[in-house]
Amino acid sequence: MQFCTLFSGSSGNAVFLSTERGALLVDCGMSAKQTLDAMKHAGLDPAMVHAILITHEHSDHVKGVGVMSRKLGIPVYATAGTWEGMGGALGELPDRNRVIITAGESFFLDDLEVAPFSIPHDANDPVGYRFFTGRHSVAVATDLGYFSQTVCDALSGAELILLESNHDPDMLKRNPHYPQHLKTRILGKKGHLSNDAGAEAAVRLAQCGARHLLLGHLSAENNTPDMAYRTAHAALTSAGAAVGEDVTLHVAARFQASLLYRV
Ligand SMILES: [Zn+2]
Ligand SMILES: [Zn+2]
């Protein structure tokens, strides 16, 4: 499998995943044009993309989905709750390109097994995804109010995980531009994972066999890539993991493709 983020952060998210048989996107939260440009810039062929899988209906995940689906003529996969939440946001799509999936029920796209799992987040029926092919598996787990047992179980043993490290709680609490209700929402159990909570999750995942951790969905205002990295690095190191040897650690850029992983 090849895996990278094209965009990551509260301003827009998209993940590219390919096997020898084809590729898919998880979310398309920037415009279709920006996403196609990002793929081309990273040397990835948009014609390979056969599906778009949605995590949940928030605009930073779905903004470009409708146009992308129409441009490429490809189906969109989402839970029933997410379809309801997206309402008319996607515009017209033929019924054959509207696929309903269920958290906890795996399905196949070509040779790729897709396992959607429930995540704690303030959306109708949000999911993360784990992908399996042969012996290898990778996973996407962002927009997590907390690192629930369901999420932990779903990710256990994955080699490569895109893991949320959204904010520094002190920066968030001090931010004068954020109203209190938004702070409460982000810090709540259906909000977003802080750097510390992400770091704690990173340690557990490394202990469960993760070899590559990619931190993502950083807040633009309440975090920095350096803070997210240092927090996870410190936690992994103090748990006895050699970063760069036992496990690699990177931060997904907001507006640029990440490293292209091959597992
Ligand atoms: Zn969200
Ligand atoms: Zn989001």
Side-chain angles (χ1 to χ4, degrees):
M1 275 180 279
Q2 295 194 108
F3 179 99
C4 69
T5 57
L6 298 170
F7 302 101
S8 189
S10 31
S11 36
N13 297 276
V15 167
F16 176 93
L17 171 73
S18 70
T19 66
E20 282 164 17
R21 305 266 290 273
L24 57 81
L25 295 177
V26 177
D27 295 330
C28 187
M30 302 288 277
S31 75
K33 181 180 186 314
Q34 285 169 307
T35 308
L36 290 166
D37 287 348
M39 271 189 264
K40 285 174 198 155
H41 193 73
L44 306 168
D45 181 6
M48 282 183 68
V49 177
H50 294 163
I52 308 173
L53 275 52
I54 309 295
T55 59
H56 64 295
E57 66 270 25
H58 291 161
S59 64
D60 58 318
H61 298 265
V62 304
K63 196 171 122 197
V65 172
V67 174
M68 184 68 94
S69 168
R70 283 187 289 278
K71 262 189 195 257
L72 300 178
I74 56 176
V76 178
Y77 293 72
T79 62
T82 298
W83 277 113
E84 197 189 315
M86 290 190 291
L90 268 50
E92 287 290 314
L93 289 183
D95 283 346
R96 67 173 187 284
N97 284 344
R98 295 174 170 266
V99 184
I100 298 174
I101 59 167
T102 305
E105 291 183 11
S106 296
F107 59 96
F108 278 86
L109 290 174
D110 290 328
D111 52 340
L112 190 68
E113 184 183 353
V114 182
F117 56 90
S118 285
I119 56 172
H121 191 56
D122 57 351
N124 280 353
D125 187 8
V127 293
Y129 289 99
R130 183 159 172 187
F131 302 96
F132 299 85
T133 171
R135 296 178 295 113
H136 299 289
S137 79
V138 304
V140 174
T142 64
D143 301 78
L144 308 172
Y146 67 106
F147 193 65
S148 69
Q149 194 59 47
T150 303
V151 173
C152 186
D153 292 345
L155 299 179
S156 180
E159 263 170 272
L160 159 62
I161 298 148
L162 171 63
L163 177 67
E164 178 163 46
S165 191
N166 180 258
H167 59 273
D168 174 76
D170 293 327
M171 273 178 89
L172 173 62
K173 287 175 195 159
R174 283 198 310 265
N175 188 332
H177 308 298
Y178 274 44
Q180 188 54 47
H181 69 86
L182 187 55
K183 295 182 185 185
T184 305
R185 187 208 139 218
I186 293 169
L187 292 165
K189 287 197 105 179
K190 291 195 161 190
H192 289 280
L193 214 57
S194 69
N195 289 344
D196 288 325
E200 207 175 292
V203 169
R204 286 172 72 180
L205 294 171
Q207 287 165 344
C208 292
R211 291 290 159 260
H212 306 285
L213 295 169
L214 178 59
L215 305 176
H217 208 301
L218 272 65
S219 165
E221 288 201 39
N222 306 311
N223 207 356
T224 67
D226 188 52
M227 286 176 85
Y229 181 86
R230 278 190 286 114
T231 308
H233 190 284
L236 287 163
T237 305
S238 72
V243 176
E245 291 173 33
D246 299 325
V247 62
T248 72
L249 180 66
H250 290 95
V251 178
R254 181 171 301 282
F255 295 118
Q256 272 181 339
S258 69
L259 185 71
L260 184 63
Y261 292 87
R262 292 184 173 85
V263 299

